[in-house]
Amino acid sequence: MAKSQSVKKICNFLSDCISADCIEAFVETYKALFKSYRFDNTPVAINYLKGLLMCPKGQANMERMEEQVENSEYRAYQHFISNSKWDYEGLQKQVALNTSILMSDQKRVNHLPVGYIVDESAHLKKGKKSVGVSRQYAGVIGKVDNCQVGVYASLVNGESASIVNQRIFLPKAWTNDDGRCQEAKIPEASRIYKTKPELALEMIKQDIASGVSFDWIGGDGLYGHNTKLCDGLDELKLFFVMDVHKDETVFLQEPLFSIPVAKAGAGRKPTKLKASCSSVRLDKLQEGIPDDEWKLENIRNTVKGKLRLWVYKKEVWIWDGESSTAKKRVLLITKTTDPKPKVKYSVSNGDIDAHNHGEYAYFVSQRYWVERTFDNAKNELGMSDYQIRKWQSWHTHHAIIMLASLLITTKLIECKKEIPLLSFKDARILIVTQICTTQIEMEQKIRQMQKRHIKRKADIDWNYNKQKLEKSTKLSS
């Protein structure tokens, strides 16, 4: 009986937080951006977003949407995504701004900084017609394959994260082929080859201009290794903490650079700068760090217990091989407490004393949530399921994906206090259930969710108890 009352209580709470018309109410706030001349595309946008939520994984395309969503039509979707002149760029900017406001509100509650994380993600595709498609590295499968690659930016605060910007990466095989670009209807101004770090810097500048706020910028080794991106962030006076590769070399003291004096009869005259001291590879440096220079920090709670990292920080200098001076950076090395620890290397343009070991490690570890935004967008929102080819189609689809991501992220935050273990998937299922089913079926979904949460809570408790036991065993020995 108590369990039944608990279900009804949750059901009543959700009827307010995740109501049957929550999608309509949410999308209506962006109504002005869906207008094309005198035609209002808002009803089609609502149906398209519903389709993304309702279609099974791998099937969120327009044909399946027509089957799943009542009063929807394939041709309406096709026109909305591919041809209609509604303001998808304005929608993306407004979603970014509203996500920024949401994360800033969260920051006032949990006192955690907001990060702006850049990363790329691949979408496997067949054929040669889809905009940007090429044989290139696809991280989703860990090898080169036929795919499209997008560079994305996400805002993250604590456990909350949502995509706020994107750029499609155009390989040189595209930018060097004007006919191919014309067929995909790529605007002439966008037919210029840009590296992924260049696209990332472009997004950062755009979002700042739009009023998006954040406390630091993060990215993986592709971005942390890129001198132009890091120099660009220096010029903008933006604080970053970026990963770098283990074979990156650094100087442990500030080097001076000069062109060596030519030796008599020794061949060509030297033209390249040479450092006054030797550099060291990061992995070799890590191997020689004394145990007492590492600091153990509790970073955050996870389902597998507390995330604890050994953290090392030190001032170093990084040289691009051409400039007359090296850049001073803070080197951060983190490693897990496992018997075979995972080691990560990062650099920052911050002051070494501006943040302690734990704070710097927090910045580094928050990239995890960006990977989760990709997982959620692909598995729950159909981000990769589209069957479209043109430039506009890519951007309109992604604008709606970002809108859907913000909707669910908002609902997760609103429901967190009453349902602490509510996941992105749970929220999507409950929204769909509210749209499509009866009260009895809704209660059944809640019972299923409760079973998942009970099992998840048991797994969490087991992991924390195991961690405590291991700690006490070490102390006693």
Side-chain angles (χ1 to χ4, degrees), residues 60-61 123 125 148 382-388 394 397-398:
N61 56 66
H123 310 278
K125 296 296 171 183
Q148 295 166 296
M383 184 166 76
S384 297
D385 297 351
Y386 53 87
Q387 295 177 348
I388 46 186
W394 163 280
H397 172 77
H398 274 82

Side-chain angles (χ1 to χ4, degrees), residues 106-165:
Q106 279 294 99
K107 178 183 175 181
R108 283 190 284 272
V109 175
N110 59 26
H111 308 294
L112 294 173
V114 176
Y116 184 103
I117 316 296
V118 293
D119 204 353
E120 70 276 0
S121 188
H123 310 278
L124 301 177
K125 296 296 171 183
K126 296 180 180 180
K128 300 180 179 180
K129 299 291 186 180
S130 298
V131 60
V133 73
S134 178
R135 285 193 60 78
Q136 52 193 321
Y137 181 76
V140 67
I141 56 172
K143 64 179 183 179
V144 172
D145 205 338
N146 205 56
C147 63
Q148 295 166 296
V149 175
V151 180
Y152 298 88
S154 298
L155 286 180
V156 55
N157 171 262
E159 297 180 4
S160 301
S162 195
I163 300 171
V164 295
N165 208 334

Side-chain angles (χ1 to χ4, degrees), residues 268-437:
R268 292 182 180 179
K269 183 179 179 181
T271 58
K272 292 185 178 181
L273 292 169
K274 187 175 181 180
S276 59
C277 54
S278 298
S279 61
V280 60
R281 271 178 56 133
L282 291 181
D283 52 355
K284 299 301 181 183
L285 172 64
Q286 186 269 144
E287 291 171 2
I289 299 172
D291 290 344
D292 61 359
E293 292 188 24
W294 293 92
K295 189 169 183 181
L296 186 60
E297 295 285 350
N298 290 325
I299 308 304
R300 63 167 182 265
N301 295 329
T302 76
V303 295
K304 295 183 179 180
K306 286 187 178 296
L307 174 62
R308 306 173 79 220
L309 295 174
W310 288 104
V311 187
Y312 172 83
K313 67 172 181 170
K314 182 178 179 62
E315 282 186 343
V316 298
W317 285 260
I318 295 179
W319 184 43
D320 62 7
E322 297 178 356
S323 303
S324 59
T325 58
K327 286 285 183 78
K328 184 167 76 171
R329 301 296 190 205
V330 175
L331 169 65
L332 304 162
I333 306 178
T334 60
K335 61 181 181 179
T336 61
T337 56
D338 305 322
K340 293 183 178 180
K342 295 178 181 178
V343 183
K344 183 180 284 189
Y345 305 91
S346 309
V347 295
S348 174
N349 62 348
D351 186 272
I352 193 167
D353 296 321
H355 302 280
N356 60 38
H357 288 71
E359 289 167 340
Y360 267 122
Y362 172 83
F363 297 139
V364 171
S365 68
Q366 282 300 91
R367 275 199 58 243
Y368 164 81
W369 297 107
V370 176
E371 296 297 332
R372 290 291 297 272
T373 64
F374 291 151
D375 290 343
N376 290 332
K378 291 182 177 183
N379 295 330
E380 308 302 330
L381 302 177
M383 184 166 76
S384 297
D385 297 351
Y386 53 87
Q387 295 177 348
I388 46 186
R389 293 181 174 180
K390 309 301 183 187
W391 173 270
Q392 177 177 322
S393 305
W394 163 280
H395 290 85
T396 51
H397 172 77
H398 274 82
I400 303 297
I401 289 290
M402 285 182 240
L403 185 64
S405 178
L406 175 56
L407 168 64
I408 295 187
T409 302
T410 302
K411 295 305 175 185
L412 283 173
I413 291 172
E414 291 175 356
C415 297
K416 200 67 178 177
K417 187 175 181 180
E418 289 289 332
I419 314 174
L421 294 179
L422 189 70
S423 67
F424 197 97
K425 180 177 181 178
D426 291 334
R428 181 192 65 79
I429 291 172
L430 292 174
I431 290 173
V432 172
T433 304
Q434 286 279 32
I435 296 170
C436 305
T437 61

Side-chain angles (χ1 to χ4, degrees), residues 75-124:
R75 286 180 298 178
Y77 288 139
Q78 185 69 47
H79 179 73
F80 172 70
I81 290 295
S82 301
N83 301 312
S84 182
K85 302 302 180 185
W86 60 274
D87 189 5
Y88 59 85
E89 292 179 341
L91 176 63
Q92 182 172 293
K93 289 178 182 179
Q94 191 60 51
V95 167
L97 183 57
N98 289 350
T99 304
S100 175
I101 293 169
L102 179 68
M103 296 300 172
S104 295
D105 289 344
Q106 279 294 99
K107 178 183 175 181
R108 283 190 284 272
V109 175
N110 59 26
H111 308 294
L112 294 173
V114 176
Y116 184 103
I117 316 296
V118 293
D119 204 353
E120 70 276 0
S121 188
H123 310 278
L124 301 177

Side-chain angles (χ1 to χ4, degrees), residues 458-476:
D459 290 341
I460 292 171
D461 290 344
W462 186 87
N463 281 305
Y464 273 85
N465 289 332
K466 179 186 175 185
Q467 199 174 57
K468 287 179 182 178
L469 181 62
E470 290 173 347
K471 186 177 180 180
S472 62
T473 303
K474 286 181 181 179
L475 289 172
S476 62

